[in-house]
Structure formats: C-alpha cells, structure tokens
Amino acid sequence: MKIRKITVFLFLLVISEGADAEDMYKFSNIPPSGREVAVLILAPGMNANGSLFLKEVEWTTFAWENNLGIIALNYSSSEIDLYRNRRGYYYPEQGSGKALLDEIKNIYKKDLPILLYGFSGGAQFISRFVNWVPERIIAWCAYSAQFWDYPHTGMKITDARGIVACGDLDAFRWKPSFDFYYQGRKNRMNWIWVNISNTGHNRNNEFEQFVRDFFDEELKIYLGEKKPGRDVYANIFSTSGQTSKNFYFTELSCPFRTWKLLNLWKKIQAP
C-alpha cells in the first residue's frame, strides 16, 4: 500500500442532507479521488457536528494514505426520543442507517465496505449499525456510550473485529460499556476492551491513534495485503500477553492480531 505524505489539505467540505420528521441526517465529506477501496465513517457525540473530524490531520492523513473515503455524520434527533422513547438516529433501522448507505452510494457510486469510529452518541449509532449491515463492516470502534443494546438472540452479529472503550473516569458510562464488551467476549466475539487511563467523557488523542493502528491492520487483512497470523491474547486487568487463548475467563481477555498492537494497547489501558 503506497504511503503518501501530505503537508497541506486544500479540500472543501461537501455538505448534503436529508430529514425525516424531527430526525435530521446530514453529512460532511472530503471529495472522492476515485481510488477509494473503503469508506471511513466518523460519528461525533449526541446531536453534534462531525465535520470537525475532517479538519483533523490525523484522520484525513490516515484516510488519504489508505485510499479511504471519509464521511463525518451530523445527525440529530429529539433528546427525549433518544433517551426515553427508543427512537431517533441511534437506531439505524429507523432511517439513519439507510441514509448513510445512500450517502455512500451517492458519493462513491458503489457500495464500499466500511470502517467506523464513534464517540458517545456516535458510539450509540455505530454499535447498532454494525449489526444492521454486518456484511459491509471491515472494523469498528464504539467509545463511551451511556447505554447499549446487545443484539437479540437470533440476530446476525458482524464478524468484523471491534473495539469497545470507555475512559476510566467516565463514571456513568463505564459499567454499561464494560457490560456490553463482556457479553460480546462471553459469546466469543473478537472484541478489544480499552479502559482508557485517566480519561473522563472526552476524546483522547492516544486512544484514537490506537484505533487507527487497529483499523490499518484490519484493512490490510481485508484487502488481502496481509495474511492474519495467530492472535495474541491479553488479560484486561493485568495486560499480560500470551499466544494461548485459554485464559480462565475468556470474557477477561482481548484478542490482538500482533504483539505490536498489544503493546500499543498497554500504553493506554488502565488495569
């Protein structure tokens, strides 16, 4: 995969939108190059404008170097609906999922596979979206949601690897986030738990770099540029690593593609 160094970004943001009742589905994107092999979706906190992601050189460089399209969400719904009525953009089957798929097709003229990163309200949407269209997902990360819905029995769950994360100081969101991760690992899902050290309810630069490293690994495997090796497993409370997956409790271990990724995780993981 070619690596290109970018020093200046002169891209204009392209804004498109659609609405259904109180729900608003807007998007920001960097214009396509025609070389895209997948699309990176960035989802901000509740009812926030994701276009700020597109001004961050770390994300735009990552997308350019890997021939990714990049779309940021600017979704909004009534807070009462989101928190009390189980309605709104957190739930992709109610319109927000189709709006995103339509936007991808509209911009890139094809149904590209998807990488997703979401924070807070964005994690709400992403954690549900990946199992709404499981066949389209390469990898995903849901960071610091306040409440989660584990897929119902009988629902298909994406085979794509994911990260579930929360700051260790994010009191209202830590336990729901960990419980979601724990249920996934109990069901043998290849998920990584990140308990981000000394972090409350806010984005974290070191963690987001870890997410990009994780995405890079999964993308290369998906594209056939790298063959997957034997996973390395770490206990989430001791951060010890071993090649055997036979921890006493599977739920308390994370699978990593490489020792390098595990060692990067250790730097941000709070035991």
Side-chain angles (χ1 to χ4, degrees), residues 29 31 37 42 65 81 139 148 183-184 190 199 201 206 217 241 255 262 264:
N29 69 278
V37 296
L42 300 171
E65 290 177 344
D81 275 349
W148 307 70
Q183 183 62 46
N190 288 317
T199 301
H201 191 61
E206 282 189 292
E217 189 78 16
L262 184 152
L264 291 171

Side-chain angles (χ1 to χ4, degrees), residues 102-119:
D102 288 347
E103 185 71 1
I104 293 171
K105 186 67 173 284
N106 179 57
I107 294 172
Y108 305 105
K109 311 308 178 187
K110 53 186 174 181
D111 297 322
L112 289 172
I114 305 169
L115 296 154
L116 306 101
Y117 170 69
F119 167 65

Side-chain angles (χ1 to χ4, degrees), residues 4-25:
R4 301 186 180 183
K5 184 177 181 182
I6 299 177
T7 56
V8 179
F9 288 91
L10 299 176
F11 299 113
L12 298 175
L13 300 184
V14 178
I15 309 295
S16 58
E17 62 184 87
D20 181 13
E22 291 184 332
D23 300 323
M24 188 72 71
Y25 311 133

Side-chain angles (χ1 to χ4, degrees), residues 238-257:
S238 70
T239 67
S240 60
Q242 62 185 57
T243 53
S244 170
K245 63 181 179 181
N246 295 320
F247 281 102
Y248 187 70
F249 293 108
T250 301
E251 299 88 342
L252 302 182
S253 68
C254 296
F256 297 88
R257 295 284 195 186

Side-chain angles (χ1 to χ4, degrees), residues 35-231:
R35 300 186 303 272
E36 289 81 10
V37 296
V39 60
L40 171 64
I41 306 301
L42 300 171
M46 183 181 70
N47 292 343
N49 187 339
S51 64
L52 291 176
F53 279 114
L54 305 188
K55 299 177 182 179
E56 298 175 5
V57 68
E58 295 85 358
W59 284 111
T60 51
T61 299
F62 174 75
W64 181 267
E65 290 177 344
N66 289 283
N67 291 323
L68 300 175
I70 181 169
I71 295 175
L73 304 188
N74 182 10
Y75 280 1
S76 63
S77 297
S78 160
E79 291 188 25
I80 291 177
D81 275 349
L82 292 174
Y83 279 99
R84 297 183 184 180
N85 301 329
R86 298 188 64 80
R87 292 184 54 82
Y89 79 86
Y90 286 0
Y91 305 94
E93 70 279 4
Q94 296 180 19
S96 58
K98 183 178 185 300
L100 176 55
L101 295 182
D102 288 347
E103 185 71 1
I104 293 171
K105 186 67 173 284
N106 179 57
I107 294 172
Y108 305 105
K109 311 308 178 187
K110 53 186 174 181
D111 297 322
L112 289 172
I114 305 169
L115 296 154
L116 306 101
Y117 170 69
F119 167 65
S120 192
Q124 295 269 8
F125 170 72
I126 282 172
S127 64
R128 297 176 178 89
F129 180 84
V130 296
N131 297 311
W132 186 69
V133 283
E135 70 283 354
R136 292 282 296 275
I137 311 304
I138 298 174
W140 56 275
C141 173
Y143 169 34
S144 198
Q146 187 169 340
F147 56 95
W148 307 70
D149 288 331
Y150 195 81
H152 301 300
T153 300
M155 284 181 63
K156 186 174 181 181
I157 301 177
T158 182
D159 292 330
R161 297 194 176 208
I163 295 172
V164 180
C166 191
D168 64 344
L169 304 179
D170 196 353
F172 293 109
R173 297 168 183 85
W174 193 94
K175 187 178 185 301
S177 298
F178 179 77
D179 287 349
F180 181 77
Y181 159 80
Y182 187 90
Q183 183 62 46
R185 286 298 290 142
K186 186 176 180 180
N187 291 331
R188 301 297 193 272
M189 304 309 299
N190 288 317
W191 294 356
I192 294 171
W193 167 249
V194 186
N195 181 32
I196 308 171
S197 181
N198 298 313
T199 301
H201 191 61
N202 53 270
R203 290 175 58 197
N204 179 287
N205 291 334
E206 282 189 292
F207 170 66
E208 291 188 356
Q209 182 55 55
F210 174 78
V211 173
R212 288 187 288 271
D213 290 333
F214 168 75
F215 283 172
D216 184 71
E217 189 78 16
E218 294 304 309
L219 181 62
K220 287 177 180 175
I221 291 172
Y222 178 85
L223 295 175
E225 297 177 359
K226 184 175 182 178
K227 292 184 178 180
R230 186 178 184 183
D231 281 346

